[in-house]
Amino acid sequence: MEYEAIIQQIIEFLGTFAFAISGIRHAAAKQFDWFGGYVCGIAVAIGGGTIRDVMLGVTPFWMTNPFYIICTALALIFVIIFAKHMEGLRNTWFVFDTLGLALFTIAGIQKSLVLGHPYWVAIIMGCITGSAGGIIRDVLLNNEPVIFQREIYAMAAVLGGLIYWLSDFLGFPIEVTVIASFLTTCVMRFLAVRYHLSLPILKQE
């Protein structure tokens, strides 16, 4: 169990950095100042995990370790220094957002399982952890939340969660389970954007 806890911490740290960069990048597109960028970065980095922890009845993860606040500051510095060099790499920002989604989905699943919740709850918590921060970011930036757009976002997290459950059910090692879930979420998101895949649209009539 201690080994799984270490893996979960590593995943949360990486997810925080990836998501923070995504949030700061969106703030930069709106020409926010550095503080505004940091606020957007921290909102997307810890928003989903905070909602998850409140629903699970535990202390929000970022209140037990200042690393997440520091990690977001490092992400801000990273964007400030390298933004001009990465300006032409538009897909880079999309990759960071996708990595954050996949990593935080896994972190949400693992934390729910450690607390003794069944898999159906863990998958929901994984989806919330991965996607809720992006919703908060979009609300702050006055954009339409990404989960309400046609592109597949939260459903990629759900699919990654189902693969996590299936891999664990089949008895695969935790490393294989994590990698399988991570790749599933990322590949699903990449394919959905590349080939314009989406769920059926609700019609009024």
Side-chain angles (χ1 to χ4, degrees):
M1 190 63 67
E2 183 178 351
Y3 179 63
E4 293 184 5
I6 293 175
I7 292 179
Q8 180 184 340
Q9 283 191 336
I10 293 173
I11 289 172
E12 286 192 348
F13 290 160
L14 293 175
T16 298
F17 189 76
F19 255 171
I21 288 179
S22 170
I24 294 167
R25 172 256 170 178
H26 280 81
K30 292 276 188 174
Q31 297 187 329
F32 282 24
D33 62 18
W34 288 8
F35 180 75
Y38 182 83
V39 170
C40 288
I42 199 69
V44 69
I46 70 172
T50 300
I51 295 174
R52 172 203 66 207
D53 289 345
V54 169
M55 295 180 71
L56 293 177
V58 297
T59 302
F61 67 102
W62 59 271
M63 296 177 67
T64 62
N65 191 335
F67 181 86
Y68 302 97
I69 307 297
I70 298 171
C71 186
T72 303
L74 293 175
L76 176 63
I77 295 172
F78 178 86
V79 172
I80 292 172
I81 294 176
F82 295 105
K84 290 184 179 179
H85 301 286
M86 302 174 69
E87 202 170 83
L89 304 176
R90 296 181 181 178
N91 291 335
T92 302
W93 306 117
F94 167 73
V95 170
F96 276 119
D97 189 64
T98 300
L99 293 178
L101 174 67
L103 291 167
F104 267 24
T105 296
I106 296 170
I109 292 172
Q110 290 184 331
K111 188 162 191 176
S112 301
L113 294 176
V114 168
L115 293 173
H117 293 282
Y119 256 107
W120 65 271
V121 173
I123 293 173
I124 293 174
M125 290 298 107
C127 182
I128 289 174
T129 307
S131 61
I135 298 174
I136 297 173
R137 174 201 66 205
D138 291 336
V139 170
L140 289 175
L141 296 174
N142 198 29
N143 294 331
E144 181 184 15
V146 66
I147 66 166
F148 297 145
Q149 298 173 17
R150 292 191 60 181
E151 64 179 79
I152 292 177
Y153 189 75
M155 285 305 301
V158 172
L159 183 59
L162 291 174
I163 294 299
Y164 191 105
W165 166 77
L166 180 61
S167 298
D168 186 55
F169 178 77
L170 294 175
F172 292 149
I174 182 64
E175 298 91 342
V176 175
T177 299
V178 167
I179 292 173
S181 177
F182 175 81
L183 291 178
T184 298
T185 303
C186 289
V187 170
M188 184 64 200
R189 180 111 167 90
F190 291 148
L191 291 178
V193 172
R194 173 65 178 82
Y195 296 103
H196 307 288
L197 304 177
S198 64
L199 297 176
I201 301 297
L202 284 173
K203 298 185 183 298
Q204 185 177 5
E205 57 274 9

